[in-house]
Amino acid sequence: MNDDPTRAPDPSGIDAIPAPEGATTPIDTDYTIGQDNVELQVGPFGLDIHNPVFLISGLTVVAFVVLTLAFQNSVEPLFAGLRDFLTSTLDWFFLGAANVFVVLCLVLIASPLGKVRLGGREATPDYSYIGWFAMLFAAGMGIGLMFYGVSEPISHYSTAIGGIASEGGVRTDWAPLGGAAGDQAEAARLGMAATIFHWALHPWAIYAIVALALALFSYNKGLPLTIRSIFYPVFGERVWGWTGHVIDVLAVFATLFGLATSLGFGAEQASAGLAFLFGLPDTDGSKVVLILAITGVALISVAAGLDAGVKRLSEVNMVLAAVLLGFVVLVGPTMLILGGFFQNLWAYVAYLPALSNPVGREDANFSQGWTAFYWAWWISWSPFVGMFIARVSRGRTVREFLTCVLIIPSLVSVLWMTAFGGTAIDQIVSRGITAVQDAPLELKLFEMLQGLPLTQITSFVGIVLVIVFFVTSSDSGSLVIDTITAGGKVNAPVPQRMFWAVFEGLIAIALLLGGGLAALQAMAVSTGFPFTIVLLLGCFAIVKGLMSEPR
């Protein structure tokens, strides 16, 4: 690769990564983007794939889909057992690793290393704050906030107020920490703190670590925009061989199965919403049709590209989400929501040390079944979200980047959970409406909206939000996986991105039919574990890389 910091962008569009603007400290390597690629012409379509990352990833995914669909009646216990084993055995590891990521982000914000600018000392941001925030929010947590915005606060409130239950000296309840038996106010406070814990600093720190590393080693160090590049300070030139192949393949698997988990949740909720609103059948067949239809829309967005596809859809989503959020705040218990925002934020801070403690936990069901699963899920999403954030964050300083990526989405998540979850809890406590508490997870949002005016309209907006989040996640995920499997080329042929978009949908279908939510959760956890090890190594690489940059 040409390491001249004044180089012009590649006119062929092979890497499409802008040259650094101003002083940087590039890494001196003879590796060039795409040197291991195989170019093929299949009919009218050209392919430009990295050998062997694309082949190993693609063939493994095809085999997984075929085998899961072929044995769907017998794999559900296998998936459920795998999920339970990993979360119960490795809960301390997931919780400890997530704490490391948060601490590193805070240290970098406060340290002189925060002055380093991604893309060179003279680089300017590619996107406005509004466009940047829209893409951060839509790619990072869209479907999850829709699925869990009502259901998780209600779940933690219900288990907390129920208190501790044990059998044979072992706790059998799902209450966070010690619960709050019989105390409605404290149960609501603890339930909201536990919910915010899963959606604020920790997950965004995971995303930020991956995004910062990719942006640094691509925009400042001149390496390909792929996961293996992060580990050059650790492995040197070996990252271009099998060491790097393994890292990239793990990143592909983590992204595919983490994304499939979210797409599965989205299909469950959209199907349930359509049944709730229009009386359509809520069956596995309808969910499959829904996934296929939305994947088809995602293919159109994939073909349109980053600016015309993902960026525009993300902005539409942000407007719709803001409208729905504003509606709930205005027609729901407004003063309770506005005051609850600050109360819940303080409750989160107060409970944070206990909730993030990785050892000696007595609330095993909560810490393993909720927190360990969540951290594995966020980590499995991190290559996808991290690379996507890196693609749109050039020109920011490390301090600006980390502050915005951690704080802004975290505050939005607090407000969202306070509005939706707080409204649902108020319906139970103040109005005695138990339908939202008794409803299945995928229906809780619509049952909460049932207690507000204009239910048909708001429920329809909710369904549209889930679907558009589905499309943007599939689109951006395809873009990221294609970049990894094309050896860091960000302008690889469109049919490759379409291939991955199709298989994201097929994996979601296979997991739904082969074991439902248990299967989705199991694959997110099982791919998140090895990638957690990868990220911990990446923390060392980030510090080493930043220390060599001009500030």
Side-chain angles (χ1 to χ4, degrees):
M1 171 166 298
N2 178 10
D3 290 324
D4 178 3
T6 63
R7 67 179 182 178
D10 180 2
S12 68
I14 286 179
D15 55 27
I17 296 173
E21 299 176 46
T24 61
T25 308
I27 288 175
D28 184 16
T29 177
D30 293 330
Y31 184 84
T32 57
I33 294 177
Q35 73 175 35
D36 296 323
N37 284 22
V38 175
E39 297 186 24
L40 301 172
Q41 192 71 29
V42 182
F45 302 111
L47 298 178
D48 191 352
I49 57 178
H50 186 279
N51 181 37
V53 174
F54 183 95
L55 292 177
I56 294 174
S57 304
L59 291 176
T60 303
V61 167
V62 171
F64 175 84
V65 170
V66 170
L67 291 174
T68 302
L69 290 176
F71 299 101
Q72 60 183 270
N73 294 327
S74 57
V75 295
E76 182 173 4
L78 174 64
F79 284 131
L82 179 63
R83 177 199 61 193
D84 294 343
F85 171 77
L86 288 173
T87 54
S88 62
T89 306
L90 298 170
D91 57 326
W92 61 270
F93 177 70
F94 287 122
L95 268 68
N99 291 341
V100 169
F101 302 141
V102 172
V103 170
L104 177 59
C105 287
L106 296 177
V107 168
L108 290 177
I109 289 173
S111 76
L113 297 178
K115 297 180 180 179
V116 173
R117 186 171 295 276
L118 302 174
R121 288 171 62 176
E122 308 301 325
T124 55
D126 294 331
Y127 297 95
S128 67
Y129 274 116
I130 293 177
W132 189 40
F133 290 155
M135 288 189 280
L136 289 180
F137 188 72
M141 290 186 173
I143 289 177
L145 286 178
M146 294 299 296
F147 192 88
Y148 285 110
V150 172
S151 63
E152 187 172 351
I154 289 293
S155 297
H156 296 329
Y157 165 78
S158 301
T159 56
I161 201 170
I164 295 174
S166 60
E167 186 175 325
V170 178
R171 278 184 64 170
T172 56
D173 65 273
W174 284 74
L177 302 177
D183 187 339
Q184 288 184 337
E186 188 58 26
R189 185 170 177 269
L190 176 57
M192 291 304 304
T195 301
I196 293 167
F197 171 60
H198 291 149
W199 293 88
L201 288 180
H202 281 74
W204 284 100
I206 293 168
Y207 295 159
I209 288 295
V210 179
L212 173 60
L214 285 167
L216 173 67
F217 285 98
S218 178
Y219 298 137
N220 294 60
K221 302 298 184 184
L223 300 183
L225 187 65
T226 187
I227 302 297
R228 70 175 71 201
S229 296
I230 300 171
F231 299 92
Y232 193 94
V234 180
F235 299 112
E237 291 292 316
R238 284 178 292 170
V239 297
W240 314 126
W242 274 102
T243 300
H245 299 339
V246 170
I247 290 170
D248 278 351
V249 168
L250 285 175
V252 171
F253 289 160
T255 303
L256 279 171
F257 289 109
L259 187 57
T261 300
S262 296
L263 299 186
F265 286 150
E268 290 266 359
Q269 190 172 35
S271 178
L274 291 171
F276 178 84
L277 199 57
F278 302 114
L280 299 178
D282 184 17
T283 63
D284 285 344
S286 64
K287 293 169 190 172
V288 169
V289 171
L290 191 60
I291 292 174
L292 291 175
I294 297 175
T295 300
V297 178
L299 289 175
I300 298 173
S301 180
V302 164
L306 180 63
D307 289 330
V310 178
K311 182 173 180 288
R312 288 180 183 174
L313 284 174
S314 298
E315 290 172 346
V316 168
N317 247 20
M318 189 173 74
V319 171
L320 283 176
V323 168
L324 185 60
L325 176 62
F327 174 83
V328 172
V329 172
L330 289 175
V331 306
T334 305
M335 297 310 297
L336 182 69
I337 293 172
L338 296 179
F341 173 81
F342 298 100
Q343 293 169 7
N344 293 336
L345 195 58
W346 175 246
Y348 165 61
V349 173
Y351 278 115
L352 183 58
L355 289 169
S356 59
N357 174 31
V359 295
R361 297 288 290 265
E362 295 182 358
D363 55 343
N365 283 337
F366 172 80
S367 61
Q368 296 171 8
W370 280 98
T371 306
F373 161 68
Y374 263 132
W375 291 175
W377 186 18
W378 299 143
I379 289 167
S380 68
W381 257 58
S382 63
F384 150 49
V385 181
M387 186 175 290
F388 186 76
I389 292 174
R391 286 282 303 271
V392 299
S393 298
R394 180 181 170 275
R396 310 285 176 185
T397 66
V398 170
R399 182 170 292 122
E400 176 189 18
F401 171 84
L402 290 176
T403 300
C404 290
V405 171
L406 259 66
I407 303 302
I408 301 299
S410 294
L411 292 177
V412 171
S413 297
V414 174
L415 180 58
W416 186 279
M417 293 299 182
T418 298
F420 285 77
T423 299
I425 292 173
D426 180 67
Q427 289 176 350
I428 297 169
V429 174
S430 301
R431 299 167 58 186
I433 301 175
T434 60
V436 66
Q437 194 168 16
D438 300 332
L441 284 178
E442 62 271 15
L443 271 178
K444 288 186 184 295
L445 169 66
F446 304 107
E447 289 291 353
M448 185 275 288
L449 293 174
Q450 182 84 354
L452 302 176
L454 305 176
T455 300
Q456 297 291 312
I457 296 175
T458 55
S459 295
F460 182 73
V461 171
I463 294 170
V464 171
L465 269 171
V466 171
I467 291 174
V468 180
F469 275 132
F470 195 142
V471 172
T472 54
S473 295
S474 178
D475 188 342
S476 358
S478 305
L479 191 69
V480 167
I481 295 170
D482 183 47
T483 300
I484 297 172
T485 56
K489 292 186 178 181
V490 295
N491 276 348
V494 171
Q496 294 175 207
R497 270 180 277 161
M498 300 177 77
F499 169 85
W500 291 114
V502 169
F503 268 90
E504 286 159 18
L506 290 178
I507 290 172
I509 290 171
L511 290 173
L512 273 176
L513 297 179
L517 295 182
L520 294 165
Q521 293 172 344
M523 294 314 298
V525 174
S526 60
T527 52
F529 166 60
F531 204 73
T532 305
I533 301 172
V534 171
L535 290 193
L536 289 171
L537 282 173
C539 290
F540 167 78
I542 287 174
V543 174
K544 191 170 182 180
L546 286 173
M547 290 179 67
S548 66
E549 281 295 299
R551 300 189 285 278

